[in-house]
Amino acid sequence: MNFDTVIRGGTVVTAELSQDVDVGITNGQVVALGAGLPPGQREIDARGRLVLPGGIDSHCHIEQVSSFGILCADDFHSATVSAAFGGTTTVIPFCAQHRSDHIPEVLADYHRRAAEKAVIDYGFHLIVANPDEQTLATDLPAAIDTGIRSFKIFMTYDRMRLHDEQILDVLATARRHGALTMVHAENHGIISWLAGRMVGQGNVAPRYHAVCHTRSSEAEAFNRVIALAEVVDTPILIVHVSTIEGVSAIRAARERGVKVFAETCPQYLFLTAKDIDRGLEGAMFCCSPPPRDEAAQQACWQGLLDGTLSLYSSDHAPYRFDASGKLPKGEKTTFKEMANGVPGLELRLPLLYSYGVGSGRISINQFVQLTATRHAQIYGLGPAKGTIAVGADADIAIWDPKHRVTVDSALLHDNAGYTPYAGRELEGWPMLVMSRGEVLIDQVAAPGQINAARGRGRFLARERSDALQPAGRQIPEIAQLAAWNTPLSI
Ligand code: URP
Ligand code: ZN
Ligand code: ZN
């Protein structure tokens, strides 16, 4: 058998094992794995290199208008180019409904923009800000039918947040139709009351952002949304976990059998609130929830290691450090007015590789699990994405584990114009990145170049994954109803 491409001599890594085998690729798919494969029309020498599944970033904001009404700095072209340079070959950004938006129009708009510009494959989650009758009965089921199998809801932000009954409505709809609900869980009252006080007292610098988003606001909202999910018995996924208390709440819920998944992000492993405490420049590190302290970082690492946190995503939310993003009122901008979010799509994997695999905290197989395989499993992209296996798409990143980079925003390809990780010394870098068998980036043959037509990325309609199965666990009151033969209809 002759292959289109053979990746020869590398160490192929999956979530389960590392093997010294060649990879045979034909028609964009992996068709053979084995030692000494016959030649390919293209031969890629991977000796001394790690051959990894391309990353899947299941939490990133691209060409999205925030709840503040600010368009983020990356469009589907710049974001997906940036992702590819960082070894990520699939993204799942958001289609964002704002309260007055009609969901079919929102979806059509994001589909059109992504189809024109994306250079890697993508799915979508749907942000639900107005779960009215039309949304619940018609628009969400219709979105699910098109392969958008996850919603994101907010417990904070004035213009996005849902109250508890609305959350229950969304969870029930997700259960009925087979979707996963992602939750931005912070207590709105604590944050907005403290923020009002801070601004009233003239405390408007970025560091007060971190004061208002208390650790308790995360813990309270986690426990509340977990309790809501238990009423409906449907899985949820809590995004951007940042605190000791939050990790503990999720661990406790999982231990009693609740199906709650969770993710953390680079900013909670590699930044702290001290980064925000540097005057106006601290705005570059402001995201919600904010980075915390070293102890919280340790808790997030531990959560990744023991499975409490299933995923590591970027929450890439890029805004420039100027009037278009972080500083709408220039130097007079208060922390309440600046766009929330940090860029991270391109450095997500190199940071985890260096600080995780390089330092011996996690194995290379755990790296693959956290950055690719679990995203495919939980969000219904498997078996085509998230691993290197016969029949899977040839979405592959070949890493040089010894390649050293000093982080500088000039090296990166997003449009944020800065990186919170400037100056870090990283070791281990994706040198060649392939999507469906096409080499998009080859840092040896053509450093800094990308060979990918705008719009080559394909929309991925996602399947109903096992993660969506309810736990089959009723709270006592609901179980009592069933025992009385008057079961709750969800
Ligand atoms: O600060 C953040 N994370 N901004 C992006 C929007 C969100 O809440 O995920
Ligand atoms: Zn969020
Ligand atoms: Zn986000």
Side-chain angles (χ1 to χ4, degrees):
M1 187 194 221
N2 262 1
F3 302 104
D4 292 347
T5 304
V6 173
I7 301 172
R8 201 173 291 286
T11 301
V12 175
V13 184
T14 65
E16 289 83 34
L17 76 167
S18 308
Q19 290 173 283
D20 292 337
V21 289
D22 305 330
V23 185
I25 296 165
T26 293
N27 293 332
Q29 287 190 331
V30 175
V31 292
L33 288 168
L37 290 184
Q41 284 166 36
R42 177 174 190 163
E43 289 274 323
I44 296 174
D45 181 1
R47 283 173 299 171
R49 306 262 158 118
L50 296 169
V51 181
L52 308 186
I56 300 175
D57 196 335
S58 59
H59 185 163
C60 47
H61 302 268
I62 301 178
E63 216 171 314
Q64 186 192 318
V65 177
S66 76
S67 63
F68 292 72
I70 302 174
L71 180 65
C72 69
D74 277 312
D75 68 10
F76 281 96
H77 188 255
S78 60
T80 54
V81 166
S82 177
F85 272 103
T88 287
T89 52
T90 301
V91 287
I92 316 181
F94 299 88
C95 301
Q97 181 198 34
H98 294 271
R99 286 214 176 112
S100 56
D101 292 344
H102 184 218
I103 285 177
E105 284 158 24
V106 171
L107 296 180
D109 183 35
Y110 278 88
H111 270 295
R112 180 182 50 74
R113 289 184 281 137
E116 282 168 6
K117 296 174 213 162
V119 303
I120 57 173
D121 294 348
Y122 56 94
F124 282 125
H125 313 288
L126 173 59
I127 290 177
V128 182
N130 181 16
D132 60 12
E133 197 44 47
Q134 159 83 20
T135 298
L136 296 168
T138 308
D139 295 345
L140 296 186
I144 293 169
D145 282 346
T146 68
I148 298 179
R149 287 212 170 260
S150 37
F151 313 136
K152 183 178 178 194
I153 58 170
F154 290 83
M155 298 172 81
T156 185
Y157 294 137
D158 284 317
R159 296 187 200 140
M160 304 300 278
R161 72 193 175 103
L162 307 188
H163 57 67
D164 291 355
E165 289 90 333
Q166 291 175 310
I167 294 174
L168 284 164
D169 278 340
V170 172
L171 292 174
T173 304
R175 179 184 161 118
R176 265 199 305 278
H177 298 277
L180 184 61
T181 306
M182 307 158 76
V183 191
H184 179 130
E186 291 184 282
N187 177 297
H188 183 73
I190 293 174
I191 296 167
S192 89
W193 189 86
L194 280 173
R197 282 290 197 278
M198 286 297 114
V199 172
Q201 290 172 215
N203 298 330
V204 296
R207 66 178 178 185
Y208 297 104
H209 171 80
V211 170
C212 298
H213 290 252
T214 63
R215 296 183 291 180
S216 60
S217 78
E218 182 164 296
E220 185 283 326
F222 282 20
N223 282 315
R224 180 154 44 96
V225 74
I226 287 166
L228 298 175
E230 284 187 88
V231 170
V232 179
D233 182 23
T234 196
I236 55 170
L237 190 144
I238 298 182
V239 293
H240 44 54
V241 175
S242 68
T243 60
I244 298 172
E245 295 79 359
V247 174
S248 302
I250 293 162
R251 188 176 289 119
R254 286 173 66 93
E255 279 169 5
R256 66 173 191 273
V258 184
K259 210 155 169 188
V260 49
F261 300 99
E263 66 167 23
T264 194
C265 312
Q267 47 273 35
Y268 310 115
L269 298 178
F270 309 120
L271 301 176
T272 68
K274 285 190 199 134
D275 291 302
I276 305 182
D277 189 6
R278 49 169 89 177
L280 201 59
E281 283 189 9
M284 290 192 270
F285 303 83
C286 272
C287 52
S288 296
R292 311 285 179 175
D293 58 15
E294 284 80 7
Q297 291 180 340
Q298 294 313 316
C300 290
W301 278 109
Q302 185 53 38
L304 290 174
L305 283 170
D306 67 23
T308 304
L309 307 179
S310 305
L311 301 176
Y312 167 75
S313 315
S314 70
D315 194 6
H316 179 74
Y319 297 98
R320 297 184 71 82
F321 188 62
D322 63 21
S324 71
K326 290 288 183 184
L327 305 176
K329 295 190 180 158
E331 292 187 1
K332 295 207 164 61
T333 307
T334 70
F335 71 88
K336 276 189 76 175
E337 295 158 327
M338 52 191 56
N340 269 332
V342 292
L345 201 39
E346 191 162 341
L347 289 177
R348 175 180 73 117
L349 302 190
L351 285 163
L352 189 70
Y353 187 88
S354 249
Y355 292 110
V357 182
S359 72
R361 271 180 190 272
I362 61 171
S363 71
I364 187 67
N365 309 94
Q366 285 170 313
F367 176 86
V368 167
Q369 199 171 62
L370 292 168
T371 59
T373 313
R374 285 229 189 98
H375 299 255
Q377 288 166 344
I378 291 176
Y379 288 112
L381 287 170
K385 303 291 190 191
T387 193
I388 298 178
V390 171
D393 286 355
D395 286 6
I396 291 173
I398 302 181
W399 285 63
D400 178 348
K402 295 283 167 228
H403 188 84
R404 297 175 75 96
V405 169
T406 305
V407 174
D408 181 333
S409 72
L411 293 175
L412 304 178
H413 300 82
D414 62 38
N415 271 334
Y418 76 93
T419 168
Y421 309 101
R424 308 263 180 149
E425 303 279 345
L426 302 182
E427 186 170 297
W429 201 260
M431 303 302 286
L432 184 143
V433 179
M434 178 184 277
S435 160
R436 282 182 274 105
E438 293 174 25
V439 175
L440 307 187
I441 293 161
D442 183 341
Q443 294 284 25
V444 176
Q449 304 292 307
I450 183 157
N451 182 18
R454 288 166 80 91
R456 73 166 289 288
R458 290 183 190 156
F459 171 68
L460 302 167
R462 289 180 287 121
E463 303 288 331
R464 188 182 194 126
S465 75
D466 286 348
L468 300 180
Q469 270 309 108
R473 185 184 161 278
Q474 288 176 329
I475 58 171
E477 296 80 356
I478 307 285
Q480 176 66 75
L481 279 178
W484 289 339
N485 216 16
T486 54
L488 177 71
S489 136
I490 292 172

